[in-house]
Amino acid sequence: MAKPLTLPSAATLPAVLLEQAARQGRRAALRHKRLGVWRERSWAELADEVGRLAAALAGLGLGPGQRLLALTPPRPQTALLSLAAHWLGAEVAALDPALPAEALSGLIAAAQPAVTLIDGPAQRAVTLAALGEAAPVIYLDARREPQTGGPAGRAYAELLAEQAAPPALAATPEQTAFRFFRWGEHGGLETQTLSHAFLLQEGGERVRAHGLSADERALAARAFATAEQARHLFAPWLLAGFSLNFPENLATRDQDRRELGPTLVAGTRETYGRLADDVARRLPPPGHWQRRLVDWALSGQGGAPGRALGYWLVRRPLLDVLGLIHTRHPLLLGPPLPAAQAEWFARLGVRLHALPDVARWQEASAPATAARPFVTSAGA
């Protein structure tokens, strides 16, 4: 019988990182596929990198009560810079860069960040339009940025190369770790805050409820832009000490999932809906003998021998196509799937654990620079 996991006792997210580095420093903490190769970093390497990033962010003026804005697709640097900001007692606001430009520009202005992390030219343009040239910006890949960005632009690699000694931990359990912004259905600004203490409590409950261990392989295939991801993926990763894996890019995430074979997948309705649609396009047409075989295998008929045969002939190959063949913890973050798709996954043997967003959104005042997107009236 497996030994129950003893959770770290530290009270803030960066302190948990340091505790994991002391516990299992050589164990894989993070993997990122780059140029077709999975590159691995240990917990000790992560702690060292986050400490140096904290020193670099302090040099940019980030400190307690201030805000780092993350505007990137799923990238390991986003996770590490978030922890570095937490190290300094600052909070992190994360926005999905795929939002429409008008809505995104207003949210960036509303966030009023001290420092902004961006991925490429598209995010750079909307950020500079919302905040101006003087706003400090960190970009992930210097090769993708123009050389005329002004003194405010810094590359992630430049910050990491400074090799400064890490400052003392400044975070406290009651401080806000993540703050999320959105436009409400009537055009008003809404905000949601998660403290270190709340995230570690929620993360611990998730680890215990699902029996998560340090042996899990989790895939981070979406931007860290929702409270559900912070609560059900980011915090459990730190507490359980498993490996968090990032695809090369959004276009390759399904192939990367098949290569990785994650044991934990935290997806949204759109994630699982996309996977179901992809498999549906590959199936033989209704009435074809191969389609009848698929339907029979998914029906679970034929008793134990029939279910075993159906698994090896149909369900296992389909799970392999989806990259879910080793997945023990398929988490559904946010709104539920349509009933037909949920039933399809259940017949495949994928029992989705629904984790709705239960954190409270509150109205917030938007600065004058935050333009609200146009919202039509109910009768329009």
Side-chain angles (χ1 to χ4, degrees), residues 302-319:
R307 288 192 294 272
L309 184 62
Y311 172 77
W312 287 103
L313 290 178
V314 174
R315 294 200 306 277
R316 193 178 196 281
L318 286 178
L319 289 170

Side-chain angles (χ1 to χ4, degrees), residues 55-264:
L57 288 177
L60 293 178
L62 190 70
Q66 294 185 311
R67 188 173 299 142
L68 169 74
L69 174 63
L71 188 63
T72 71
R75 294 285 187 271
Q77 298 95 324
T78 308
L80 301 190
L81 273 171
S82 295
L83 286 167
H86 295 149
W87 189 303
L88 299 173
E91 64 183 51
V92 176
L95 296 174
D96 188 344
L99 288 172
E102 182 185 3
L104 191 58
S105 179
L107 291 174
I108 293 171
Q112 297 183 299
V115 182
T116 303
L117 173 65
I118 61 175
D119 180 49
Q123 292 81 44
R124 183 186 182 89
V126 71
T127 299
L128 295 184
L131 301 177
E133 290 281 347
V137 172
I138 301 169
Y139 44 90
L140 297 186
D141 191 346
R143 295 172 302 175
R144 298 181 60 193
E145 294 302 315
Q147 301 301 310
T148 57
R154 299 289 301 280
Y156 181 93
E158 291 180 66
L159 299 182
L160 203 56
E162 292 181 2
Q163 299 289 335
L169 284 179
T172 63
E174 297 76 23
Q175 281 180 324
T176 296
F178 288 96
R179 186 182 301 269
F180 299 96
F181 294 87
R182 74 178 185 185
W183 297 115
E185 46 184 60
H186 300 297
L189 182 68
E190 296 178 342
T191 186
Q192 190 181 57
T193 59
L194 306 177
S195 69
H196 290 264
F198 175 80
L199 282 171
L200 292 177
Q201 178 185 347
E202 288 269 306
E205 291 176 0
R206 188 60 47 221
V207 170
R208 288 186 286 268
H210 291 281
L212 302 180
S213 73
D215 294 326
E216 311 298 344
R217 298 185 304 275
L219 182 68
R222 297 183 67 86
F224 284 125
T226 66
E228 299 101 299
Q229 288 167 308
R231 293 165 56 206
H232 304 309
L233 181 60
F234 192 81
W237 163 57
L238 289 171
L239 285 167
F242 53 75
S243 67
L244 188 61
N245 300 268
F246 291 82
E248 184 148 8
N249 53 60
L250 292 179
T252 67
R253 58 187 168 182
D254 291 336
Q255 174 62 36
D256 296 342
R257 183 188 301 105
R258 287 190 287 271
E259 289 183 11
L260 177 67
T263 63
L264 187 154

Side-chain angles (χ1 to χ4, degrees), residues 8-9 13 41 84 108 135 143 177 205 243 278 290 309 362 380:
S9 58
L13 298 174
R41 276 175 277 184
I108 293 171
R143 295 172 302 175
E205 291 176 0
S243 67
D278 181 51
Q290 291 178 325
L309 184 62
Q362 297 179 324

